[in-house]
Amino acid sequence: MRRVSFFLLLLAPVLSAQQPVTRADAVAAALARGARIALGRADTAAALGGVRAARAFPNPTFTGSYTKDPPNYHALADLPLDMPWLRSPRIGSAEAARDAARYRFAFERAAIRFDVDTTYTRSLAAELHARLSRRTAEDADSLLRIAQLRREVGDVSELDVRLAAVNAGQLANTALDDSMVALTVLLSLQLQMGLSGDTTAIALRDSLIAPADSVLPAPGSELLPVAAAAASLRSAERALSFARASRFAPSFEIGFDKGDVSNPTPNQLLPVIGFSLPVPLFNWSHGDIARAAAERDRAAAELDLTRRETDAAVSRARRELAAARDRVRRSAALVESADRVAAMSLQAYGEGAVAVANVLEAQRNAREILARYIDDLAAADAAARTLRWLTTGPHEP
């Protein structure tokens, strides 16, 4: 019977009793049930509340008093005047802070997608490594049985049997270790999805394939971390303007007096109209202005640092993706050949044409090449998803 290659066997879909989960299903579950999303929503709601508070007009203050001297009764309402030089920077600062919170929340969503995607890829790679280990362990057992049969008929010495037994034992231990690693990564993925991490409840449905070309943002488009830092800078600048203007916050006063006994009509309401303007005699708000200026300078420095770090991270991700794709192409060309050499060497040993050491060397080469190919696929997929995460724009979902 024609032997199925390692490559086709490992990349075949897995049939399991657990719930099949695609990569998109895992991401959707993490975004729906993850704690990080709840924190991001709370920050965004708080920023939206800040905008509503900034847009609200100040409440008037009502004061009632009684004096022994006429007129005896006094009522006064004080209405702060929300002048344009106060209202505009206050609202602008709150809106910029809201934009920054939205950008940070969008980047957090992208980070969650990236983390789940990466864990999904690691789980796929670990599962393929475990299946490769199990397959090579089965081949090692087959080689041991062949060696034992040939020893019984006197074709080989005890040394061949011992070598085959040692090889089979080592590969059985490797298969057990790889299976434990695959289980650990799968349970980690379940935790990110909001599921329990004590028993396996899902089965990976997608396959590990070489990534397609990433769609990069158009030149000049602003990335999410940079957009959030720029919005924070705008908020700090408007907050500084508000701190400078808040020294002059006038108010309008209106009320009435009543109870003047010298008046022929003592119950007549006597109108009172006034205007108040704070005089910055002792406090010129230098402390508030200095603090707002420092926060503006800090936001400007953070914007510059974020822009440079983001550009460097994007450039590094592009280089890693290009290198990973080259490794995948070279490894893919070696997989089928190494698999074929291992099959031919096992058949040749069964026919007595080669020594057991040749078979062990051929199987080791095939195993290492296929394991490297799996790692290269995972690295290329991770590099592509890293680049996609870093280049997420402000208006992308």
Side-chain angles (χ1 to χ4, degrees), residues 342-368:
M344 293 174 62
S345 63
L346 182 61
Q347 182 179 0
Y349 179 74
E351 296 172 356
V354 297
V356 67
N358 300 108
V359 181
L360 295 178
E361 180 66 17
Q363 289 183 346
R364 184 183 64 82
N365 289 336
R367 181 172 65 252
E368 290 180 354

Side-chain angles (χ1 to χ4, degrees), residues 236-256:
E237 290 174 343
R238 301 307 297 273
L240 176 59
S241 300
F242 177 73
R244 287 171 175 167
S246 60
R247 292 177 295 183
F248 304 97
S251 63
F252 179 72
E253 297 176 350
I254 185 172
F256 63 89

Side-chain angles (χ1 to χ4, degrees), residues 38-88:
L39 295 176
R41 289 196 186 102
D43 293 340
T44 305
L48 182 59
V51 173
R52 292 177 178 174
R55 289 182 176 275
F57 289 94
N59 292 321
T61 303
F62 179 78
T63 304
S65 62
Y66 170 82
T67 60
K68 190 174 182 180
D69 295 332
N72 306 105
Y73 304 99
H74 312 274
L76 187 66
D78 184 85
L79 178 63
L81 298 179
D82 201 10
M83 305 304 292
W85 65 80
L86 295 173
R87 183 173 179 82
S88 178

Side-chain angles (χ1 to χ4, degrees), residues 143-144 146-147 150 156-165 167 341-342 345-346 348-350 352-367:
L143 178 62
L144 177 59
I146 293 175
R150 292 188 60 189
V156 297
S157 64
E158 182 68 19
L159 178 61
D160 283 5
V161 177
R162 294 295 179 88
L163 287 175
N167 180 64
V341 169
S345 63
L346 182 61
Y349 179 74
V354 297
V356 67
N358 300 108
V359 181
L360 295 178
E361 180 66 17
Q363 289 183 346
R364 184 183 64 82
N365 289 336
R367 181 172 65 252

Side-chain angles (χ1 to χ4, degrees), residues 1-9 135-136 138-139 336 338-344 346-347 363 366:
M1 184 175 66
R2 189 173 182 272
R3 187 174 181 271
V4 181
S5 69
F6 279 167
F7 176 69
L8 295 179
L9 178 65
R135 182 68 184 188
T136 53
E138 293 173 359
D139 287 346
E336 198 66 29
D339 183 28
R340 183 59 180 164
V341 169
M344 293 174 62
L346 182 61
Q347 182 179 0
Q363 289 183 346

